[in-house]
Each structure stands twice: as structure tokens, then as C-alpha cells.
Amino acid sequence: MSADPSPAPVNITLPDGKQLHFPRAVTGTEIAAAIGPGLARAALAVEVNGQDWDLSRPIPGDARVRIITRKDPEALELIRHDAAHVLAMAVQELFPGTQVTIGPAIEDGFYYDFARDEPFHPDDLPRIEARMHEIVARDLPTRRTVWPRDEAIRHFEQIGEHYKAELIRDLPRSEEITVYYHGAWHDLCRGPHFVSTGKIGQAFRLTKIAGAYWRGDARNAQLQRIYGTAWRDEKELDAYLKRIEEAEKRDHRKLGREMDLFHMQEEAVGQVFWHPKGFTLYHLLEDYLRRKLARAGYCEVKTPQLIDRKLWEMSGHWANYRQHMFVAEVEDEKKTLAVKPMNCPGHVQIFKQGTKSYRELPLRLAEFGSCHRYEPSGALHGIMRVRAFTQDDAHIFCTHEQISDETIDFCRLLMEVYRDLGFDDVHVKLATRPDNRIGSDQIWQLAEQSLESATKQAGLNYSINPGEGAFYGPKLEFVLRDSIGREWQCGTLQVDFNTAERLGASYIAEDGAKHAPVMLHRAILGSMERFIGVLIEHYAGKFPLWLAPVQAVIATVVSDADAYAQEAADAMHRAGLRVDTDLRNEKINYKVREHSLAKVPNLLVVGRREAENRTLMLRRLGSETQESLALDAAIPILTQEGMPPDSRN
RNA sequence: GCCGGCUUAGCUCAGCUGGUAGAGCACGUGAUUUGUAAUCACGGGGUCGCGGGUUCGAUCCCUGCAGCCGGCACCA
């Protein structure tokens, strides 16, 4: 079943342009050996004309070839893919009768989906992992075999691997069916794989068990997925595990409780109880955004929470999202009211009041819109995914010609806001026309072009998400990267040619005729709740001074300083600073520790000396040193430092 | 919603094979007036998530439900 050795000579071109000549088909292993023994040892796979191949697979004709070693970027993916195979093998050794399905390499690791009646238990992971280490230590040789399609299907059916048989049936006829052997164990796989299991190394760890639908479709059977992580060496593995640990430390659910920002409870699932400190943060963010919006020409509005289902039927939401809407009924009325899941129809109602002229466009209606959606229970996650949330929503009613300028302005505004909030790394995805859509290609063309050129003009990095737009128009999705490299999609801008018309909104154009306005749906933060969650994790709770719920604590050393501490706090409150006092009968060490752990940015210590001299000892969070400041000097310093970014200079 | 796991004091967690619960921190009281990451002593606090069952007896075993956690699916 291995390829026939070709009698023809083969010319191999290396990346540096050097050519090697072989009398017949040659394998990656042989090429590596011809280059040098060091490379022969380090070789993991070989790139042949841009495709990754097994080292042992004969290269039948002339080719450009590059030997892949552990140092190459592809190595990780190959290690992970091999590790997935070893995982499958270990599972089948330990749990006979388990069917294997698919097992790809993913970011940071790999997984494999299994079909087995008995569920895996977390305690099984160490056992499976131990077996994997053993299989790697066995250093089983890998063999690639090519099978006739029907024979492969018959074989997998016969050994009870029905999912594999289904996979082969669904492969295009043109596809070569390859089966990889690691020792006697084998699996349908496109490859490539290392020459033996020993090449994987031992820097892997199984991490979690999960349910996953066959082929990602909820209508299909649910399989059991085992996740693992794999790296080039122990050092990389440790670094990864450390990274996960660090991420857990800044989990917004943990910090939210520790910092007394909010809580959630059973009686209000998916809804946030904001505590005084958390709501201070919330308001600071909202106030900041409100100022930005006002300056950018938005008008803020507020629309009803409960709206008759008729309006939702008209907008099309009732038909599509009824199951995800909360509904309210009152005994004395026959009406059914829906709690708004979005703000657009409300804003359209405001637009529709009176007759609008083209002169009034663009009209930008903004709302911190409280929305409720019945999210599936399994989707809920802290304050990141909730059932009651507040969108920093706005709808720009404009003409087709105005789409471009409005988009540019929006991108700029959004970038300013993100930068002010500490996010510099942002990229944009442009989701273009889907197959199933309404509106003429001409209008789509205009909308997509407007979005794309606006994105460019705003100086943003963007990529295209073909076919991912909404049925009513293309959209921009803004993704930001946080301080530990995670990505969050927050902002969005969607072009909508449909809703305004559907809800009967129009304006009188220059030609005197009625036209439906284009609606741009846009949000910068997305949801206040979620964005605050992102902020907490981004800053690990150590907010910049302008967002810190408590900007400073004045802590006394002795009770003789109480009166002075109170006086200083009063003066700071008058200056608009958010300051607490700590007059407790505790040692200063204790107070320093406590407020440091509470992530208070500035600690102001006062004892007898300070009370006499009217000074404060300032200790900044994260610093181990202090500086003495006159009270009169400290106030303007902190006020200046705590100024919101849009008020500076 | 689906698969799996978890649920013991405000928090973090002990509690062997069933005999009605403990620690540290937090909280309260007292002593201590302290100079930059935990002062000492004493004390209060739990219907062991909720309901049903098995048992002489259930935090522990079985079962239903809820919530949470990890994924999957979903996210106008």
C-alpha cells in the first residue's frame, strides 16, 4: 500500500535554493539525512511543495522541500495532532468498545471526540494521561497506508467504528483515503504524523471533559470530548499552565465578590445585583460614554421596557425570537406585552413621530437600553452573558450616501473609547453578504464598500468574514485584545436597509418623495455588564484611577489622628475624590495589607506627625515606598490623576 | 437546551466505609494606640442547595428539582 518507488531521478530544492539529486523517489528522512545528522535527528515532518508530509512518505517527483523541526511554527500543530491520536489510542486501550470520531489540533492543544455509552469521569483523566505517556515511551512506529474507499468503509464498519465509516462516506470521491498506524492501532486520518509516537515528547496534559455534538450540530448525538494541551517541552507547558492560573486569578466572578462589586443569586438568574462599588464603576463608565456620545452628535433617548407584541410581530422578532423573549400579561387586559430584547423598534417609533426631512439626517438616537433575553441556561456566564443587560446602543438614521461618513466617524469614536479604556489592540471583521439576503446587489455593493473604505480610512486592521453578514446588511465587528491576550468581540456596526421600512419609517427627500432611511445599528461596548466584566479581567481589578470605585483610603496609625483624617477626607470629597477612611483600631501593617488586597490605588497614611504637619504619607498600589505630601498638594495631584481621559488637557 | 462535574458557616475548604459537623479568614466583644502586607484573647454563627425515598438512624446511599462550574449548541 505504500507508493511505488519511481525509477525516475528526483530533484529536491531546499529553501535556500540548494538542489539535491536522488536516483529515485526519496523520503523526508533521507533528505534530512543527506543534509546532516543533526537535522536527521531533529526532523519531525517535511513540507513538500507547501504541504506538510510524513517524513517516511516517498516524494515521487521533483519538489521544493523544507524539513520541519521542533523549532518551526508548524511543530506545535503537528505535536498536538499526534497527541490527539495517542489520546484516542490510550482511550481505546483502557475503554474497549469506545468509538473514535475526530480529534484535531486546536489553539493551545487538542481534543478528541469519543462515542461511548458510559460517561468519562474526571478521575479517568490521570489514568488516560498516564497511558498516553506510556504509549509515547513505547515509541511506536507510524505507517501511512492508502485504502480503496469501499474497503475502508467496510473495514471500519466491521470493527464497529461507525462514525469513521460515515466520515469516509462523506469524503469527496476524489479524496485519497489514508489510514495511519501507530503500531497496531490505526485511525482514519489525513496526516501527516511523526515517524513514531516518541517524537511527540511528554509535555502534554489532559485538561477537561466535555460534551460535544457530532459534527457540531445540536440535532446530532452528543459525544464525549476530552481536551488536552501539548507543547514542545516542559517549559512551554509550565508557562501555559501558569497563564491559565493567572487568568483564573483575574476571573471577574471572583474579583466581583472579593472587591464587593456585584453579586448574583438564584432568585434572579442571569441578572446582576450591583453593589455600591460596582455601580460606581458602572456609572463612571456610563457617564464617560454619555459625554463622548453627546460630543459626537448623538441624542440620548429612553424607550419603554414593555411593548405590545404587535410591534414585535411587525418587526419580525416575534416570529424569529419568541422563545427568547420574556412576556408579560396583566389580568385585566387582553394584551400581551414583551419585555424588549432590543432597542431598534423603539427608536424607530421616535423617528416616526412627526414628518422627517432629509435635512434632519443623519439622526443619531442613543440609548443605554436595558434589554432582556431568555438566554439558554447553559450560555450564562457571570456578568459576561446574562439575561438582563444594557446595551450602549444607538441607531443612526441616514441616507445611503451618508453611510460612509457615519461609519468613519463611528470607527474613530470607537477607537477613542477603546484607547481611553486601555485597549490599543483592536481588529475589525467585515462580515459580507450572506447567500440568504434581501436587497439588491447594487445596494449591498454600496454598503460593503462604504464599510470597507471607512474601516481603511479609520486606520483599522480588518479581515473579511465572507457571507457572515446579517440578512439585511453587512456588518463590522470590533474585536479587542486584553492584557493577557484574549480576544473579546464588543463593538458592532450593522447596516440595515430593512427595519425602518418594515416599521413604516420614512423621510421626505430633496425630490419631495418619501424614502425609507438606512439604519446603522451600532454599539461600542456592546453590553455594559459584559464590558465591565472584560474591564475587570483586563485590569485584574486594578482599575485606572478615574474608574476606581475607591480612589484612596485614608488610614490612621493612631486614634489621635482621627480628626485630621476625617478633615482630610472631607476636603477630598469636596474636591470630588472618592475617598474612604479607615479609623479602625488596627495596626498600620494590617490596614496596608487589607487595602492593598482590596486593590485601592492610593493609600494615605496619617499619624501624629502628619496631623501636626498637615501632610499625608502616600503609598501607591504596587509600590513599597511612600512619599510625604502636604494635604493641600495631594488634593490637586489626585484630582488631576483621577480625571477621566476625555476631560484631560 | 444538551453532556459531565459540583453544592457543608459570609469566603476558602476538612469531614475514612451512614451514628445530626470542624478549621482558617471574615464577623462581634475585650485588651492593645500601634509608622507601611495579618496584635492577642474570648465569643456568636450551619434545617450540610431544596423535595422525596431507603434505613432504627442520612451531610454521606438512591431519586426528582434548582443553581453553579467546564464544554457543546445558541447569541436578533
Side-chain angles (χ1 to χ4, degrees):
Chain A
M1 263 169 255
S2 58
D4 295 328
S6 157
V10 167
N11 294 319
I12 297 299
T13 310
L14 299 175
D16 59 5
K18 208 171 133 194
Q19 296 231 335
L20 295 176
H21 306 284
F22 296 88
R24 54 178 175 78
V26 64
T27 66
T29 304
E30 288 162 346
I31 297 168
I35 298 168
L39 187 63
R41 269 193 308 275
L44 287 180
V46 56
E47 186 189 295
V48 179
N49 295 329
Q51 278 189 319
D52 291 349
W53 280 35
D54 308 306
L55 281 177
S56 58
R57 185 168 166 193
I59 300 164
D62 294 355
R64 296 191 66 85
V65 160
R66 185 171 65 96
I67 303 294
I68 297 168
T69 71
R70 246 182 155 63
K71 288 192 192 113
D72 290 304
E74 303 92 320
L76 265 182
E77 205 183 319
L78 294 169
I79 288 169
R80 288 166 183 165
H81 187 197
D82 270 41
H85 270 222
V86 170
L87 165 59
M89 188 171 170
V91 165
Q92 290 201 312
E93 284 186 12
L94 292 168
F95 305 94
T98 302
Q99 288 186 66
V100 291
T101 67
I102 56 158
I106 53 171
E107 191 180 0
D108 295 337
F110 60 92
Y111 67 77
Y112 211 111
D113 285 348
F114 300 98
R116 174 173 178 250
D117 293 337
E118 279 283 291
F120 290 114
H121 189 272
D123 295 345
D124 294 330
L125 289 187
R127 269 179 73 207
I128 299 170
E129 194 179 296
R131 180 60 66 99
M132 287 174 69
H133 285 294
E134 201 187 305
I135 292 168
V136 169
R138 280 185 223 154
D139 199 19
L140 300 167
T142 303
R143 196 156 51 88
R144 175 181 188 270
T145 58
V146 181
W147 289 50
R149 184 190 180 88
D150 295 338
E151 194 180 316
I153 294 172
R154 208 175 321 124
H155 171 75
F156 281 107
E157 285 290 9
Q158 204 175 3
I159 61 171
E161 296 284 2
H162 306 292
Y163 287 94
K164 284 292 177 191
E166 186 182 328
L167 285 174
I168 300 171
R169 274 192 206 99
D170 290 351
L171 282 175
R173 289 254 155 212
S174 57
E175 189 102 349
E176 196 174 43
I177 309 294
T178 53
V179 172
Y180 276 79
Y181 282 77
H182 305 285
W185 188 85
H186 60 287
D187 191 9
L188 170 76
C189 185
R190 189 174 292 131
H193 285 284
F194 299 157
V195 290
S196 66
T197 56
K199 296 283 184 191
I200 297 168
Q202 300 283 12
F204 56 82
R205 185 77 60 86
L206 295 182
T207 50
K208 54 201 168 198
I209 301 174
Y213 296 105
W214 168 237
R215 298 192 149 172
D217 190 328
R219 289 167 301 191
N220 289 340
Q222 196 153 36
L223 307 169
Q224 297 186 66
R225 177 173 296 179
I226 297 179
Y227 281 96
T229 185
W231 300 86
R232 293 182 180 88
D233 53 42
E234 291 294 328
K235 226 175 103 188
E236 280 188 358
L237 175 62
D238 288 346
Y240 168 75
L241 296 173
K242 195 85 187 230
R243 214 170 83 210
I244 298 300
E245 218 174 282
E246 286 303 315
E248 275 167 18
K249 275 189 208 156
R250 55 176 73 208
D251 188 309
H252 75 280
R253 294 166 297 191
K254 180 169 149 17
L255 291 177
R257 186 180 56 244
E258 288 173 2
M259 298 177 73
D260 198 17
L261 301 176
F262 61 84
H263 86 272
M264 304 179 87
Q265 65 184 53
E266 234 178 280
E267 290 78 2
V269 172
Q271 301 174 79
V272 186
F273 289 80
W274 287 106
H275 294 196
K277 283 178 189 162
F279 202 53
T280 299
L281 173 58
Y282 187 111
H283 256 159
L284 288 163
L285 186 59
E286 191 181 76
D287 291 346
Y288 158 80
L289 209 54
R290 184 169 276 135
R291 292 191 300 270
K292 294 293 286 185
L293 290 174
R295 259 172 253 158
Y298 287 79
C299 314
E300 190 175 340
V301 298
K302 197 79 182 168
T303 58
Q305 284 301 314
L306 295 168
I307 300 180
D308 197 298
R309 67 179 270 185
K310 283 181 200 151
L311 188 61
W312 302 107
E313 283 167 353
M314 228 189 291
S315 69
H317 292 102
W318 191 265
N320 286 317
Y321 298 105
R322 165 71 191 89
Q323 283 158 326
H324 300 282
M325 287 166 72
F326 288 99
V327 164
E329 271 160 1
V330 190
E331 275 186 35
D332 291 348
E333 280 195 72
K334 283 185 231 61
K335 290 177 180 170
T336 303
L337 303 174
V339 184
K340 71 172 173 184
M342 53 178 351
N343 309 299
C344 340
H347 291 182
V348 173
Q349 302 316 304
I350 294 179
F351 183 89
K352 281 174 70 180
Q353 297 300 302
T355 308
K356 292 285 178 295
S357 153
Y358 71 95
R359 294 176 199 279
E360 292 172 72
L361 304 185
L363 180 63
R364 308 181 191 91
L365 298 182
E367 177 172 3
F368 291 95
S370 170
C371 295
H372 291 74
R373 296 179 185 174
Y374 185 74
E375 301 286 3
S377 58
L380 302 176
H381 179 89
I383 63 173
M384 299 281 202
R385 185 87 184 264
V386 287
R387 287 181 176 158
F389 57 98
T390 313
Q391 291 179 325
D392 63 318
D393 205 0
H395 294 93
I396 302 173
F397 295 85
C398 64
T399 65
H400 287 106
E401 293 70 36
Q402 289 167 333
I403 295 174
S404 189
D405 282 349
E406 286 304 309
T407 305
I408 295 170
D409 286 352
F410 175 68
C411 288
R412 292 206 177 118
L413 174 65
L414 172 135
M415 288 306 289
E416 279 172 27
V417 170
Y418 284 180
R419 210 158 311 171
D420 282 350
L421 293 170
F423 301 98
D424 291 314
D425 189 347
V426 180
H427 75 261
V428 186
K429 291 189 272 185
L430 168 60
T432 58
R433 64 190 88 177
D435 292 337
N436 190 7
R437 62 178 182 267
I438 56 169
S440 72
D441 282 357
Q442 197 188 338
I443 286 182
W444 273 92
Q445 182 71 15
L446 171 69
E448 286 172 3
Q449 260 176 14
S450 303
L451 289 189
E452 189 163 2
S453 72
T455 315
K456 274 186 202 157
Q457 285 190 53
L460 296 167
N461 295 322
Y462 71 98
S463 57
I464 308 267
N465 252 1
E468 291 294 309
F471 70 93
Y472 51 72
K475 58 183 173 182
L476 294 178
E477 291 171 340
F478 299 86
V479 180
L480 51 83
R481 189 182 286 274
D482 74 9
S483 58
I484 57 171
R486 293 173 304 180
E487 297 202 322
W488 304 93
Q489 199 225 295
C490 295
T492 181
L493 180 139
Q494 302 173 17
V495 183
D496 178 0
F497 305 120
N498 183 41
T499 303
E501 186 166 21
R502 185 162 186 157
L503 293 176
S506 63
Y507 66 95
I508 311 295
E510 268 180 289
D511 60 8
K514 276 187 180 178
H515 292 271
V518 176
M519 276 175 85
L520 302 180
H521 306 245
R522 41 105 299 165
I524 298 174
L525 308 183
S527 127
M528 297 295 288
E529 288 76 7
R530 183 172 124 98
F531 200 89
I532 290 174
V534 172
L535 275 180
I536 293 171
E537 301 205 355
H538 176 63
Y539 286 115
K542 293 172 189 165
F543 301 112
L545 198 57
W546 73 278
L547 283 173
V550 177
Q551 296 176 306
V553 167
I554 302 180
T556 50
V557 180
V558 291
S559 51
D560 289 350
D562 287 2
Y564 171 65
Q566 194 55 59
E567 187 197 330
D570 291 345
M572 290 188 175
H573 285 144
R574 280 195 299 276
L577 287 164
R578 299 182 293 276
V579 175
D580 278 353
T581 53
D582 183 354
L583 310 182
R584 290 176 303 171
N585 176 10
E586 293 291 350
K587 294 200 160 158
I588 193 63
N589 284 333
Y590 180 83
K591 295 184 183 182
V592 168
R593 176 183 156 80
E594 200 166 74
H595 300 300
S596 298
L597 290 175
K599 307 183 204 299
V600 174
N602 294 295
L603 190 57
L604 298 162
V605 174
V606 296
R608 281 198 194 91
R609 284 202 300 270
E610 287 75 21
E612 270 169 36
N613 305 330
R614 302 189 62 75
T615 59
L616 306 150
M617 279 298 242
L618 170 63
R619 178 185 169 127
R620 294 181 189 275
L621 182 60
S623 159
E624 283 173 25
T625 59
Q626 306 106 42
E627 56 177 320
S628 178
L629 289 174
L631 172 58
D632 293 343
I635 292 175
I637 289 174
L638 293 179
T639 308
Q640 179 62 36
E641 287 178 9
M643 203 102 87
D646 62 310
S647 320
R648 285 180 205 146
N649 302 323

